[in-house]
mmCIF file of all heavy atoms in Angstrom:
data_model
loop_
_atom_site.group_PDB
_atom_site.id
_atom_site.type_symbol
_atom_site.label_atom_id
_atom_site.label_comp_id
_atom_site.label_asym_id
_atom_site.label_seq_id
_atom_site.Cartn_x
_atom_site.Cartn_y
_atom_site.Cartn_z
ATOM 1 N N GLU A 27 61.285 72.050 -29.703
ATOM 2 C CA GLU A 27 60.566 71.932 -28.423
ATOM 3 C C GLU A 27 59.151 71.407 -28.664
ATOM 4 O O GLU A 27 58.676 70.522 -27.937
ATOM 5 C CB GLU A 27 60.493 73.281 -27.706
ATOM 6 C CG GLU A 27 61.770 73.691 -26.986
ATOM 7 C CD GLU A 27 62.814 74.289 -27.919
ATOM 8 O OE1 GLU A 27 62.450 74.630 -29.068
ATOM 9 O OE2 GLU A 27 63.987 74.396 -27.512
ATOM 10 N N VAL A 28 58.465 71.948 -29.678
ATOM 11 C CA VAL A 28 57.077 71.530 -29.925
ATOM 12 C C VAL A 28 57.038 70.062 -30.376
ATOM 13 O O VAL A 28 56.157 69.301 -29.984
ATOM 14 C CB VAL A 28 56.384 72.466 -30.943
ATOM 15 C CG1 VAL A 28 54.941 72.021 -31.187
ATOM 16 C CG2 VAL A 28 56.400 73.908 -30.426
ATOM 17 N N GLU A 29 58.028 69.651 -31.175
ATOM 18 C CA GLU A 29 58.105 68.242 -31.568
ATOM 19 C C GLU A 29 58.337 67.362 -30.332
ATOM 20 O O GLU A 29 57.778 66.261 -30.221
ATOM 21 C CB GLU A 29 59.233 68.043 -32.594
ATOM 22 C CG GLU A 29 59.415 66.607 -33.077
ATOM 23 C CD GLU A 29 58.213 66.055 -33.861
ATOM 24 O OE1 GLU A 29 57.443 66.850 -34.444
ATOM 25 O OE2 GLU A 29 58.036 64.819 -33.859
ATOM 26 N N THR A 30 59.135 67.848 -29.407
ATOM 27 C CA THR A 30 59.376 67.110 -28.157
ATOM 28 C C THR A 30 58.094 67.032 -27.321
ATOM 29 O O THR A 30 57.790 65.985 -26.741
ATOM 30 C CB THR A 30 60.528 67.771 -27.364
ATOM 31 O OG1 THR A 30 61.679 67.831 -28.219
ATOM 32 C CG2 THR A 30 60.889 66.980 -26.116
ATOM 33 N N PHE A 31 57.310 68.118 -27.284
ATOM 34 C CA PHE A 31 56.007 68.074 -26.596
ATOM 35 C C PHE A 31 55.083 67.064 -27.271
ATOM 36 O O PHE A 31 54.340 66.345 -26.617
ATOM 37 C CB PHE A 31 55.318 69.452 -26.600
ATOM 38 C CG PHE A 31 56.040 70.526 -25.842
ATOM 39 C CD1 PHE A 31 55.965 71.852 -26.232
ATOM 40 C CD2 PHE A 31 56.805 70.218 -24.717
ATOM 41 C CE1 PHE A 31 56.630 72.854 -25.534
ATOM 42 C CE2 PHE A 31 57.473 71.216 -24.007
ATOM 43 C CZ PHE A 31 57.385 72.538 -24.432
ATOM 44 N N LYS A 32 55.129 67.029 -28.599
ATOM 45 C CA LYS A 32 54.288 66.077 -29.340
ATOM 46 C C LYS A 32 54.632 64.641 -28.935
ATOM 47 O O LYS A 32 53.753 63.831 -28.635
ATOM 48 C CB LYS A 32 54.488 66.258 -30.854
ATOM 49 C CG LYS A 32 53.701 65.265 -31.695
ATOM 50 C CD LYS A 32 54.151 65.315 -33.147
ATOM 51 C CE LYS A 32 53.321 64.426 -34.060
ATOM 52 N NZ LYS A 32 53.029 63.088 -33.594
ATOM 53 N N GLN A 33 55.921 64.331 -28.929
ATOM 54 C CA GLN A 33 56.340 62.973 -28.568
ATOM 55 C C GLN A 33 55.954 62.648 -27.124
ATOM 56 O O GLN A 33 55.571 61.525 -26.808
ATOM 57 C CB GLN A 33 57.857 62.832 -28.769
ATOM 58 C CG GLN A 33 58.254 62.910 -30.245
ATOM 59 C CD GLN A 33 59.760 62.924 -30.465
ATOM 60 O OE1 GLN A 33 60.546 62.800 -29.521
ATOM 61 N NE2 GLN A 33 60.175 63.095 -31.707
ATOM 62 N N TYR A 34 56.019 63.652 -26.277
ATOM 63 C CA TYR A 34 55.654 63.477 -24.868
ATOM 64 C C TYR A 34 54.163 63.202 -24.746
ATOM 65 O O TYR A 34 53.738 62.258 -24.067
ATOM 66 C CB TYR A 34 56.050 64.750 -24.112
ATOM 67 C CG TYR A 34 55.712 64.750 -22.638
ATOM 68 C CD1 TYR A 34 56.453 63.984 -21.733
ATOM 69 C CD2 TYR A 34 54.674 65.530 -22.148
ATOM 70 C CE1 TYR A 34 56.150 63.999 -20.380
ATOM 71 C CE2 TYR A 34 54.370 65.557 -20.799
ATOM 72 C CZ TYR A 34 55.109 64.780 -19.915
ATOM 73 O OH TYR A 34 54.806 64.802 -18.582
ATOM 74 N N LEU A 35 53.365 64.016 -25.419
ATOM 75 C CA LEU A 35 51.910 63.812 -25.377
ATOM 76 C C LEU A 35 51.548 62.433 -25.951
ATOM 77 O O LEU A 35 50.748 61.696 -25.371
ATOM 78 C CB LEU A 35 51.205 64.924 -26.165
ATOM 79 C CG LEU A 35 49.676 64.886 -26.154
ATOM 80 C CD1 LEU A 35 49.107 66.305 -26.070
ATOM 81 C CD2 LEU A 35 49.092 64.196 -27.381
ATOM 82 N N ASP A 36 52.184 62.077 -27.086
ATOM 83 C CA ASP A 36 51.895 60.785 -27.718
ATOM 84 C C ASP A 36 52.204 59.620 -26.774
ATOM 85 O O ASP A 36 51.539 58.586 -26.813
ATOM 86 C CB ASP A 36 52.717 60.617 -29.009
ATOM 87 C CG ASP A 36 52.204 61.509 -30.135
ATOM 88 O OD1 ASP A 36 51.137 62.149 -29.970
ATOM 89 O OD2 ASP A 36 52.884 61.592 -31.187
ATOM 90 N N SER A 37 53.239 59.774 -25.958
ATOM 91 C CA SER A 37 53.653 58.649 -25.110
ATOM 92 C C SER A 37 52.943 58.647 -23.755
ATOM 93 O O SER A 37 53.117 57.721 -22.974
ATOM 94 C CB SER A 37 55.173 58.675 -24.909
ATOM 95 O OG SER A 37 55.521 59.798 -24.131
ATOM 96 N N THR A 38 52.172 59.705 -23.458
ATOM 97 C CA THR A 38 51.524 59.742 -22.143
ATOM 98 C C THR A 38 49.998 59.824 -22.208
ATOM 99 O O THR A 38 49.316 59.104 -21.476
ATOM 100 C CB THR A 38 52.013 60.959 -21.307
ATOM 101 O OG1 THR A 38 51.766 62.154 -22.065
ATOM 102 C CG2 THR A 38 53.476 60.855 -20.963
ATOM 103 N N ALA A 39 49.464 60.698 -23.052
ATOM 104 C CA ALA A 39 48.062 61.115 -22.885
ATOM 105 C C ALA A 39 47.084 60.601 -23.949
ATOM 106 O O ALA A 39 45.908 60.950 -23.910
ATOM 107 C CB ALA A 39 47.991 62.643 -22.832
ATOM 108 N N LEU A 40 47.568 59.773 -24.899
ATOM 109 C CA LEU A 40 46.641 59.330 -25.949
ATOM 110 C C LEU A 40 45.687 58.244 -25.444
ATOM 111 O O LEU A 40 46.021 57.486 -24.543
ATOM 112 C CB LEU A 40 47.412 58.777 -27.159
ATOM 113 C CG LEU A 40 48.219 59.771 -28.000
ATOM 114 C CD1 LEU A 40 48.733 59.070 -29.261
ATOM 115 C CD2 LEU A 40 47.423 61.008 -28.373
ATOM 116 N N ARG A 41 44.518 58.215 -26.086
ATOM 117 C CA ARG A 41 43.546 57.118 -25.930
ATOM 118 C C ARG A 41 42.935 56.973 -24.535
ATOM 119 O O ARG A 41 42.397 55.935 -24.192
ATOM 120 C CB ARG A 41 44.158 55.775 -26.380
ATOM 121 C CG ARG A 41 44.350 55.711 -27.878
ATOM 122 C CD ARG A 41 45.002 54.442 -28.313
ATOM 123 N NE ARG A 41 46.401 54.383 -27.941
ATOM 124 C CZ ARG A 41 47.387 54.983 -28.608
ATOM 125 N NH1 ARG A 41 47.117 55.664 -29.698
ATOM 126 N NH2 ARG A 41 48.624 54.892 -28.195
ATOM 127 N N GLN A 42 43.048 58.016 -23.722
ATOM 128 C CA GLN A 42 42.374 57.953 -22.416
ATOM 129 C C GLN A 42 41.157 58.864 -22.460
ATOM 130 O O GLN A 42 41.215 59.959 -23.007
ATOM 131 C CB GLN A 42 43.317 58.423 -21.310
ATOM 132 C CG GLN A 42 44.595 57.602 -21.243
ATOM 133 C CD GLN A 42 45.597 58.231 -20.301
ATOM 134 O OE1 GLN A 42 45.345 58.340 -19.119
ATOM 135 N NE2 GLN A 42 46.721 58.657 -20.829
ATOM 136 N N LYS A 43 40.078 58.382 -21.873
ATOM 137 C CA LYS A 43 38.839 59.146 -21.922
ATOM 138 C C LYS A 43 38.957 60.422 -21.085
ATOM 139 O O LYS A 43 39.392 60.380 -19.935
ATOM 140 C CB LYS A 43 37.696 58.286 -21.391
ATOM 141 C CG LYS A 43 36.339 58.812 -21.732
ATOM 142 C CD LYS A 43 35.312 57.741 -21.383
ATOM 143 C CE LYS A 43 33.930 58.185 -21.771
ATOM 144 N NZ LYS A 43 32.958 57.136 -21.469
ATOM 145 N N ILE A 44 38.566 61.539 -21.694
ATOM 146 C CA ILE A 44 38.617 62.836 -20.995
ATOM 147 C C ILE A 44 37.361 62.955 -20.121
ATOM 148 O O ILE A 44 36.235 62.868 -20.617
ATOM 149 C CB ILE A 44 38.676 63.997 -22.009
ATOM 150 C CG1 ILE A 44 39.920 63.862 -22.904
ATOM 151 C CG2 ILE A 44 38.659 65.351 -21.297
ATOM 152 C CD1 ILE A 44 39.921 64.753 -24.131
ATOM 153 N N THR A 45 37.571 63.142 -18.825
ATOM 154 C CA THR A 45 36.416 63.249 -17.918
ATOM 155 C C THR A 45 36.049 64.692 -17.621
ATOM 156 O O THR A 45 34.913 64.994 -17.293
ATOM 157 C CB THR A 45 36.703 62.535 -16.579
ATOM 158 O OG1 THR A 45 37.916 63.078 -16.032
ATOM 159 C CG2 THR A 45 36.848 61.042 -16.779
ATOM 160 N N ASP A 46 37.022 65.584 -17.714
ATOM 161 C CA ASP A 46 36.729 66.993 -17.458
ATOM 162 C C ASP A 46 37.874 67.852 -18.001
ATOM 163 O O ASP A 46 38.989 67.362 -18.184
ATOM 164 C CB ASP A 46 36.586 67.237 -15.945
ATOM 165 C CG ASP A 46 35.883 68.560 -15.650
ATOM 166 O OD1 ASP A 46 35.326 69.181 -16.594
ATOM 167 O OD2 ASP A 46 35.907 68.986 -14.485
ATOM 168 N N VAL A 47 37.572 69.101 -18.268
ATOM 169 C CA VAL A 47 38.611 70.059 -18.652
ATOM 170 C C VAL A 47 38.521 71.226 -17.677
ATOM 171 O O VAL A 47 37.494 71.900 -17.601
ATOM 172 C CB VAL A 47 38.433 70.556 -20.105
ATOM 173 C CG1 VAL A 47 39.560 71.517 -20.471
ATOM 174 C CG2 VAL A 47 38.396 69.385 -21.079
#
Side-chain angles (χ1 to χ4, degrees):
E27 282 80 14
V28 180
E29 180 64 25
T30 304
F31 296 149
K32 177 191 185 315
Q33 293 174 4
Y34 179 74
L35 183 142
D36 288 353
S37 68
T38 56
L40 291 188
R41 290 177 289 280
Q42 302 171 63
K43 196 169 183 178
I44 301 167
T45 55
D46 197 11
V47 182

